[in-house]
Amino acid sequence: MPTVLFRYLLVTLCLLATTPAATAQELTFEKDSLGQVLQRAARLQKPVFLLLTTSLPPSAAKLSRQEAERVYGTSLNDPAVVKALQPNFLVVRAFNNTPAGQRLARRYHVSTFPTYLYLHPDGTVLHRSFSNVRDPQRYLADIETFRQKLASPDNLSSLEKRYTRGERGAAFLRQYLQARRSVGAIVSPELLDEYVRELPVKAFDQFAEVVFVHEYGPVLNSRAYNVARLNKRLVDSLYTTLLLHRRVAINSAIITNSMQAAIASRDVQLATQTAGFASASWNASSNRQRASQAYGSNMLRYYKAVGDTARYLPLLMSHYEQHYMATPADTIRRQRTSKNPFTAPTPYTNLARPDSAVKMVSVFRSGGDVYAAELNNGAWEVYSSGTRRTAYLAQAMRWSQRTIDLDPRAGYYDTLAHLLYALHLNTEAEVTQQKAVAQAKKEGQPVAAYQEVLRKIKSRTL
């Protein structure tokens, strides 16, 4: 079973109206789909408050009322907040562990839960915030910010209409770019190129302009990318003077947008260039291992997205053997508590200018648990690819066995059981899935899905 860690990183923040300690006066959510609510909002000219959140974990049922309030308490149901929201908005809630919630999360590019979206009656997002807090003033401040944006003649809804009518010009496009970015809306490569075309080349002799375009993640070899990197001195300065988090964001955005463009056009050359960009900064800092990891993980993303299994699977096998299994399990265990723990590879690792020798400062996710989760994901990728090549399945089984050795979890036993079944080791698969069920109970997880897999293994119908 694949592990999606980010969905659980903010689990103590993501539960709102479902808390056992909810007040008597609490928000009432619309029963209709968001599409139906937006149609009504347009008729009534009433804004929409959209809450994207996660259901309470099963372990919450074991908590006392006081403990549940301490861990999952929220002020969203504070009387002042309810009074400000309920009469003035159509209030919608969606859970990210449901198909409808997942579609909305993709539509609005949400990966942190809870996220609060404040929508114009026409459906345009005018304000976005996230995380759960106990202070009702935070929610009241968000509502006031939205009201101000709604009243502004330059809100994103108005800017969208002006852009659709054909308005251009550097000042307008800059304002439009900033408004879209402020609410997490997609900024297309074409829109960024439009903005750059409205500027004279000499504008990129200004450091602020170079930084501005870079922060939107221009696609490699696009007009915006090429023009923004004309002044090499300023680009070098960008990678040496900006704070770490801004450099991380810039390079991650360039990689993400470039790879998305490569996938959309099935452009393997652009994908290769993007993977090279991701790895080049590690070469600049003489960290060849990280350079190789960054290159491989990005090419894996491309081949998987375009469905090129013939290239994806061999690269997947070599990538995990080289960058995960080559490190002995005992070393991983020792590094869990060391000052320099193992760091699992991530696709976005280039923090320095890729074509310079600037020394790079880096931060990575660390610890054996992350290593195990990443290795489990690799094993599940092999199984879910549908391959029946014994050599691939056997390799993935070794990876899965190591994840359990390092960090026994229900999901990891489940992955191993699937692989064993695919290898026709049915008795071993059944025993392993029984362990998955037992471990799920121990972890306080729902067991129905694990039990269903066990039933299919027993009946040889998995």
Side-chain angles (χ1 to χ4, degrees):
M1 178 175 291
T3 304
V4 187
L5 291 177
F6 76 87
R7 290 183 180 175
Y8 302 102
L9 292 178
L10 295 178
V11 70
T12 59
L13 302 175
C14 64
L15 298 136
L16 301 167
T18 55
T19 173
T23 59
Q25 182 184 15
E26 58 183 35
L27 288 173
T28 301
F29 296 97
E30 299 287 333
K31 303 297 184 183
D32 295 331
S33 69
L34 179 62
Q36 294 169 313
V37 171
L38 287 175
Q39 290 178 358
R40 193 157 73 254
R43 290 197 307 271
L44 300 175
Q45 282 300 291
K46 194 170 186 178
V48 175
F49 172 76
L50 173 59
L51 164 63
L52 292 172
T53 188
T54 300
S55 301
L56 280 166
S59 57
K62 300 179 181 180
L63 300 178
S64 67
R65 185 183 183 90
Q66 292 75 17
E67 289 172 328
E69 173 62 22
R70 177 178 57 80
V71 176
Y72 303 114
T74 175
S75 59
L76 192 61
N77 284 317
D78 181 272
V81 177
V82 174
K83 183 178 180 181
L85 273 176
Q86 198 76 72
N88 301 307
F89 292 80
L90 298 176
V91 182
V92 179
R93 178 179 61 188
F95 295 101
N96 81 313
N97 55 350
T98 65
Q102 291 167 3
R103 286 193 296 270
L104 291 176
R106 290 192 296 270
R107 173 177 173 180
Y108 293 108
H109 312 289
V110 171
S111 59
T112 298
F113 302 94
T115 286
Y116 316 99
L117 300 176
Y118 298 80
L119 311 183
H120 187 281
D122 67 10
T124 304
V125 179
L126 297 189
H127 185 62
R128 170 190 299 239
S129 64
F130 61 92
S131 83
N132 185 26
V133 296
R134 294 176 179 278
D135 184 2
Q137 291 303 316
R138 207 296 295 276
Y139 298 106
L140 295 174
D142 278 341
I143 295 168
E144 180 57 30
T145 298
F146 169 77
R147 285 173 175 160
Q148 292 174 7
K149 290 181 177 180
L150 186 63
S152 170
D154 294 323
N155 64 40
L156 182 56
S157 176
S158 299
L159 295 174
E160 293 274 15
K161 292 180 176 66
R162 291 165 60 186
Y163 181 80
T164 301
R165 289 195 297 265
E167 184 171 349
R168 298 300 184 264
F172 167 74
L173 288 173
R174 187 183 184 93
Q175 183 183 24
Y176 184 40
L177 285 166
Q178 290 172 317
R180 290 188 67 82
R181 188 181 182 201
S182 71
V183 297
I186 287 293
V187 172
S188 70
E190 294 76 18
L191 178 57
L192 192 59
D193 280 352
E194 277 189 309
Y195 170 68
V196 169
R197 273 195 293 270
E198 294 295 325
L199 296 172
V201 173
K202 65 180 181 181
F204 292 93
D205 289 332
Q206 302 297 319
F207 183 68
E209 198 64 63
V210 171
V211 172
F212 180 82
V213 173
H214 273 81
E215 288 190 317
Y216 284 85
V219 169
L220 294 176
N221 297 327
S222 66
R223 180 183 182 86
Y225 180 85
N226 292 334
V227 173
R229 296 177 88 84
L230 284 174
N231 192 318
K232 296 186 183 303
R233 178 183 60 82
L234 292 183
V235 175
D236 284 338
S237 181
L238 179 154
Y239 284 103
T240 54
T241 63
L242 293 187
L243 295 176
L244 174 64
H245 74 276
R246 295 184 71 184
R247 285 181 281 144
V248 172
I250 285 172
N251 284 336
S252 293
I254 291 172
I255 295 166
T256 298
N257 295 339
S258 298
M259 190 57 76
Q260 286 175 347
I263 291 167
S265 59
R266 302 183 71 88
D267 187 341
V268 68
Q269 182 177 358
L270 178 56
T272 303
Q273 291 171 338
T274 303
F277 180 95
S279 68
S281 60
W282 292 112
N283 282 326
S285 62
S286 301
N287 194 327
R288 294 184 179 181
Q289 180 182 6
R290 291 295 184 191
S292 176
Q293 291 172 347
Y295 186 91
S297 60
N298 278 279
M299 290 309 299
L300 283 170
R301 177 186 174 193
Y302 173 78
Y303 289 134
K304 180 181 179 182
V306 300
D308 190 345
T309 307
R311 289 183 172 87
Y312 175 71
L313 279 175
L315 180 58
L316 180 73
M317 308 313 296
S318 63
H319 183 80
Y320 276 86
E321 287 291 330
Q322 179 182 356
H323 299 302
Y324 290 83
M325 295 300 287
T327 305
D330 287 343
T331 301
I332 299 299
R333 291 191 192 92
R334 287 195 300 269
Q335 289 175 336
R336 269 178 165 174
T337 55
S338 73
K339 293 182 179 179
N340 298 294
F342 173 88
T343 53
T346 60
Y348 311 126
T349 54
N350 43 320
L351 313 180
R353 179 178 175 180
D355 54 348
S356 73
V358 176
K359 186 176 181 180
M360 180 173 51
V361 180
S362 60
V363 258
F364 296 97
R365 297 173 296 162
S366 62
D369 291 346
V370 171
Y371 169 94
E374 295 282 355
L375 194 55
N376 173 74
N377 288 345
W380 183 260
E381 281 294 313
V382 176
Y383 174 81
S384 60
S385 72
T387 183
R388 288 299 174 258
R389 287 189 61 173
T390 301
Y392 287 169
L393 292 167
Q395 279 181 272
M397 181 185 68
R398 287 174 44 244
W399 304 349
S400 188
Q401 287 169 333
R402 178 176 283 196
T403 66
I404 293 169
D405 185 35
L406 291 169
D407 187 24
R409 292 179 181 270
Y412 301 170
Y413 281 113
D414 180 81
T415 297
L416 179 57
H418 280 79
L419 289 164
L420 289 167
Y421 185 87
L423 286 164
H424 306 293
L425 300 172
N426 299 323
T427 301
E428 292 87 343
E430 184 177 333
V431 171
T432 302
Q433 191 63 20
Q434 288 171 342
K435 292 179 181 178
V437 172
Q439 184 65 25
K441 292 177 180 177
K442 184 177 179 181
E443 294 171 8
Q445 290 192 44
V447 299
Y450 296 110
Q451 290 172 330
E452 177 61 13
V453 171
L454 178 59
R455 183 192 66 77
K456 290 181 178 180
I457 291 174
K458 289 180 176 180
S459 64
R460 306 295 187 261
T461 58
L462 184 63

